Amino acid sequence: MAVATRTKPQIATMNAVHDLPVLVARDEGYYKDEGLDVEFVTTPGMAQVTTSHFVKFDSVFDRPLDSVYNEGGIDQYRMCEWGIMKRAVEANAQGLRGRKIVALGASMSKFAIVVNPNSKIYEPEMLKDKTIAVTPNNGSDFTTLKMIEGFLEPEHVKRTNAGSMLKRLEAVRDGKVAAASLMEPWISVAQKWGMRILIESHSTRAEAASDDLDAETLKKMFRAQARAVEKIEKDPRPYVHYFVRETGGLLQPEEFQTWRLLHAAPQPYTRERWDDTYRWTVKWNMTVPSATYENTVDNRAWQ
């Protein structure tokens, strides 16, 4: 499909929990140190208190980030590993702008399933046939399934859409849903509100890119992220303001749980990981079958 003319690499930034190494690499000048002139394109994310976007279960390409990518407004972005896989596979099937998985990403975002403090639900098994608010076809959705499949049969896992992280947290508070799947900074907000956390898990990002980004450019971008990871892991506190801002004043810097942050340098996306993850997404009817490692993954930054 036709895309916009670009003069420099365009990188998406959305939720801080996914993009912190990108933001830090930008702020600290690490991209410039690599000789890169990068344009950063901000897209709405479900962690932001100001978001009004409503994602549907039956459409994966209607969110702002996907629309901007398909129109050529960005060349590279990251989201949950399964979400990237679904988009890379189904873009090919639907004739949309192509994208490849080009790395296992730097951010291992924490997700948690929370319930109202007055709830009679005390363990994951007790969510049988109870509604869990998630973002459809994104990290909170996929990670919820990963966390819950050890406790419930698939037919008893009931996911629903209540909107942004704030909206679903309010829905739990008001008794409109039984539980919600949240990422930071909203897990910290849930704790501040006295919510009960049933289960938590890390969810690794994957990096996607168009064919417009050559191997050397990706290599430099990932080196900048790796350098940012080292700085974050030493002391994340200087960057807590990104998370606090997403809550619109509901959280103070000292209330943010920095211990949940976990990052590592971007890595090649291995065939073994593809096989395991793709089989899991097909098992849950999360994406179409018949994709291959060869037509979906491109580790050109390490070749």
Side-chain angles (χ1 to χ4, degrees):
M1 63 178 292
V3 297
T5 301
R6 63 190 56 76
T7 58
K8 61 180 73 173
Q10 296 164 308
I11 304 177
T13 59
M14 188 172 53
N15 302 311
V17 75
H18 304 331
D19 298 330
L20 191 60
V22 173
L23 297 170
V24 172
R26 180 196 65 187
D27 293 352
E28 302 294 340
Y30 298 157
Y31 288 109
K32 290 183 179 179
D33 290 347
E34 292 287 344
L36 294 175
D37 182 13
V38 177
E39 179 181 352
F40 298 91
V41 180
T42 302
T43 60
M46 299 304 283
Q48 298 160 20
V49 74
T50 55
T51 191
S52 59
H53 187 62
F54 200 79
V55 182
K56 300 176 182 178
F57 275 97
D58 58 356
S59 177
V60 70
F61 292 111
D62 68 343
R63 63 183 289 170
L65 184 148
D66 292 295
S67 299
V68 174
Y69 179 87
N70 286 324
E71 294 168 2
I74 52 177
D75 301 307
Q76 200 274 325
Y77 65 97
R78 69 220 49 81
M79 59 174 61
C80 83
E81 179 181 0
W82 311 291
I84 290 288
M85 181 172 287
K86 180 177 178 66
R87 285 158 175 80
V89 169
E90 295 188 10
N92 290 336
Q94 296 183 31
L96 297 172
R97 185 187 183 198
R99 68 213 72 190
K100 295 288 183 64
I101 300 171
V102 293
L104 189 66
S107 295
M108 288 162 274
S109 312
K110 210 56 171 317
F111 282 86
I113 299 176
V114 306
V115 297
N116 191 296
N118 299 319
S119 171
K120 301 302 181 184
I121 297 172
Y122 301 99
E123 57 185 357
E125 293 92 332
M126 299 175 78
L127 287 171
K128 181 179 179 179
D129 296 324
K130 306 293 185 183
T131 52
I132 308 169
V134 303
T135 305
N137 297 315
N138 286 282
S140 62
D141 190 4
F142 298 126
T143 311
T144 293
L145 296 179
K146 277 284 189 178
M147 289 190 285
I148 211 72
E149 68 178 349
F151 299 93
L152 296 174
E153 294 296 328
E155 64 268 25
H156 295 297
V157 181
K158 307 299 181 184
R159 294 122 58 221
T160 190
N161 189 358
S164 67
M165 296 282 168
L166 174 59
K167 293 297 183 184
R168 73 187 71 165
L169 193 52
E170 291 173 339
V172 171
R173 179 196 64 192
D174 299 339
K176 295 178 180 179
V177 297
S181 183
L182 306 168
M183 59 191 180
E184 287 291 15
W186 297 99
I187 305 174
S188 292
V189 174
Q191 288 186 289
K192 182 178 180 178
W193 288 10
M195 298 286 180
R196 181 183 304 136
I197 295 176
L198 297 185
I199 188 170
E200 297 185 48
S201 176
H202 287 290
S203 167
T204 305
R205 307 301 90 198
E207 301 269 353
S210 72
D211 291 338
D212 297 292
L213 283 181
D214 61 89
E216 189 61 27
T217 298
L218 282 172
K219 185 181 299 185
K220 291 177 179 179
M221 289 166 60
F222 294 152
R223 277 204 303 256
Q225 281 197 46
R227 190 175 170 193
V229 164
E230 292 183 3
K231 192 165 185 65
I232 295 166
E233 288 299 292
K234 287 179 181 177
D235 185 5
R237 290 173 297 176
Y239 310 108
V240 166
H241 63 93
Y242 283 114
F243 297 92
V244 172
R245 185 173 63 192
E246 289 182 344
T247 71
L250 293 176
L251 203 65
Q252 298 301 312
E254 63 274 12
E255 295 170 326
F256 178 71
Q257 305 292 312
T258 58
W259 63 268
R260 283 197 178 92
L261 299 179
L262 181 62
H263 300 86
Q267 304 171 36
Y269 200 86
T270 66
R271 182 181 294 273
E272 181 181 12
R273 190 161 187 123
W274 159 267
D275 289 341
D276 292 341
T277 302
Y278 184 59
R279 280 197 295 264
W280 180 83
T281 61
V282 172
K283 179 187 76 172
W284 278 95
N285 295 317
M286 280 293 184
T287 191
V288 296
S290 76
T292 67
Y293 179 82
E294 285 73 19
N295 65 24
T296 313
V297 178
D298 187 345
N299 289 310
R300 57 185 181 269
W302 287 273
Q303 295 170 350

